[in-house]
Amino acid sequence: MSTPVPLREPTFLILTALAREPMHGYGIVTEVAALSDGRLSLRPGTLYGALDRLADEGLVEPDREEIVGGRLRRYYRLTDSGTAALTAETERLRRNVEAASQRLRARGARASEGSATRPAPAVHPAIRLAGGPA
């Protein structure tokens, strides 16, 4: 199964969360919330479904398991393929941001140049201000 490009935001953030070190589910949920400034809150069912899919695609894999407070805690890590997918997506997004930034800078420059020389818009004679003479 191949990874779709572009990556959906939850997938991108899960891979990003795992880029630094292996993490367990709750750690991934917490990191994704932090990375998205709280915009994205993964529920356990959503997270584990995504991790299963990402493992099937070869982007993540189990790292280790431990028992904490009588409960199993499974850690996941990014694979080399996951690193390559995250790197490619990061580069794609960087190029998109740069293209948008260039256009916004150009728009800002045009707007500041034109504001001093642009004539006031003409008012159509059939348009009158409310409360003004007929």
Side-chain angles (χ1 to χ4, degrees), residues 37-56:
D37 290 327
R39 287 180 302 101
L40 188 61
S41 177
L42 296 174
R43 294 182 178 180
T46 303
L47 172 66
Y48 289 107
L51 288 170
D52 287 344
R53 178 181 54 80
L54 293 170
D56 289 346

Side-chain angles (χ1 to χ4, degrees), residues 13-96:
L13 292 174
I14 290 168
L15 295 178
T16 300
L18 293 170
R20 185 173 44 201
E21 63 187 349
M23 301 181 92
H24 56 77
Y26 182 74
I28 296 169
V29 167
T30 303
E31 189 70 11
V32 165
L35 288 166
S36 68
D37 290 327
R39 287 180 302 101
L40 188 61
S41 177
L42 296 174
R43 294 182 178 180
T46 303
L47 172 66
Y48 289 107
L51 288 170
D52 287 344
R53 178 181 54 80
L54 293 170
D56 289 346
E57 293 173 359
L59 302 179
V60 303
E61 63 188 8
D63 181 66
R64 68 185 184 279
E65 294 179 347
E66 63 186 15
I67 304 294
V68 176
R71 298 183 70 178
L72 177 66
R73 184 180 284 175
R74 179 174 290 142
Y75 286 75
Y76 294 86
R77 71 172 167 252
L78 206 56
T79 63
D80 290 344
S81 294
T83 300
L86 181 59
T87 300
E89 181 66 358
T90 300
E91 180 59 23
R92 185 190 71 79
L93 291 170
R94 188 200 60 73
R95 286 190 311 268
N96 286 348

